[in-house]
Amino acid sequence: MSLNRHQSAGYMTNWAARLFARAIDQKLKPLGFSSGYLPVFFALADGGARTQKQLARDAGIEQPTMAATLNRMERDGLITREKDSEDRRVTHIRLSPEARENAKDIQAIVDQVNEAALSGLNSLEQRVFLDALGKVTTSLAKAEDEDDPKPDDQ
Amino acid sequence: MSLNRHQSAGYMTNWAARLFARAIDQKLKPLGFSSGYLPVFFALADGGARTQKQLARDAGIEQPTMAATLNRMERDGLITREKDSEDRRVTHIRLSPEARENAKDIQAIVDQVNEAALSGLNSLEQRVFLDALGKVTTSLAKAEDEDDPKPDDQ
DNA sequence: CAAGAATACATAGCTTGCTATATAAAACAT
DNA sequence: ATGTTTTATATAGCAAGCTATGTATTCTTG
């Protein structure tokens, strides 16, 4: 039973993800931002509005997780919520002007961390790595679906 | 400001890590195990004892996180804690016999998820992917160290 | 040897993820 | 038109990660 965990894709992916999050969170902290806000930030960066459900699906997280994230972002003054006048179940979420002011800085930090992370790879390896991540997520998402098919995946 | 997040290593790594964890947790649940227990499980699978500090360093997580994980594992009857008789600060942690009985099943589940995740890659891509994950963690860990040098990294 | 530093672990409080379930509104179907 | 189903969001409770800090014990050093 001697397993080399450095050969385990799941273990290494989890480890890398934690290091990414730690690096990003450290650098975003002075801006009042954190890694969990990024998917929302990028989804809304065009200035438009999205519903909670759209944001969750877009970020690949569950609805209650997105609800909690949006609560923190609202608390921190980064988003606004506006009830739809026609369908009162729906809420439209937008970035606040204050959040949008930080766009350039946030983008720079994200780029910087990604660049540092990939600095040990040549450009071919970088391409294969990103491509592989895409294929891995596709495979895992498909396996998840087969085990537990949700109809709402449109 | 139109960023394709599928090109962001950090975003994709985080996404893949969540899919890995979800898949593993689903399959480990019937055994009373979860993904957070795996690093401890593998570190102790040889039947020997480790201290909390050794386990945390080995798993690449912080000491309080490991303390919480060990509390849950103890609650679930998967480990035993034994105070060192010489140095009363130190606790020796071992897998319980019950935990060790599940070793083969757990290994099989981990292998199965890893295999499914990598099924879309040919063997060259798999090698490059695992190698890249190693280099990415090395780069990120080094950057972390440079920002905030801890003396205890022996 | 006593005082201070270092070490191992514990605790508090937060974030970001999950599942399961509740609630309210809208849509559908008889 | 009302009863059922679907949809959007909310809430509860847990896991696993983090930082900051507390506590007890051991080591070091003057």
Side-chain angles (χ1 to χ4, degrees), chain B residues 101-152:
Chain B
E101 269 167 27
N102 284 318
K104 278 218 169 59
D105 291 331
I106 290 168
Q107 181 70 65
I109 288 167
V110 169
D111 289 346
Q112 183 192 333
V113 171
N114 277 327
E115 204 181 305
L118 296 178
S119 63
L121 308 179
N122 65 37
S123 65
L124 171 65
E125 289 171 324
Q126 293 191 15
R127 233 176 311 130
V128 174
F129 178 59
L130 284 169
D131 184 60
L133 278 171
K135 288 176 177 168
V136 165
T137 56
T138 300
S139 295
L140 286 170
K142 202 195 299 175
E144 194 173 63
D145 245 49
E146 281 159 8
D147 284 6
D148 159 41
K150 294 186 188 178
D152 83 70

Side-chain angles (χ1 to χ4, degrees), chain A residues 5-114:
Chain A
R5 57 193 204 293
H6 292 270
Q7 295 294 122
S8 164
Y11 182 84
M12 291 301 289
T13 302
N14 174 276
W15 191 5
R18 283 186 286 113
L19 287 166
F20 266 114
R22 270 191 247 171
I24 294 246
D25 282 335
Q26 288 251 340
K27 304 199 193 232
L28 287 182
K29 199 171 188 180
L31 297 179
F33 246 80
S34 63
S35 55
Y37 296 176
L38 288 177
V40 176
F41 177 75
F42 285 121
L44 300 177
D46 64 3
R50 305 286 186 285
T51 68
Q52 185 184 104
K53 177 171 189 155
Q54 287 173 328
L55 290 172
R57 191 180 46 199
D58 222 56
I61 65 180
E62 297 300 319
Q63 171 264 322
T65 301
M66 181 54 74
T69 298
L70 293 175
N71 284 344
R72 291 193 303 278
M73 292 185 79
E74 191 176 33
R75 176 199 66 192
D76 296 349
L78 301 173
I79 57 156
T80 60
R81 280 167 153 152
E82 189 191 355
K83 285 258 182 210
D84 186 296
S85 50
E86 312 242 311
D87 183 340
R88 285 186 298 166
R89 291 170 303 182
V90 174
T91 302
H92 299 286
I93 293 135
R94 283 192 168 75
L95 283 188
S96 70
E98 300 78 49
R100 294 176 68 186
E101 269 166 25
N102 284 318
K104 278 217 169 59
D105 292 331
I106 290 169
Q107 181 71 64
I109 287 168
V110 169
D111 289 346
Q112 184 192 333
V113 171
N114 277 328

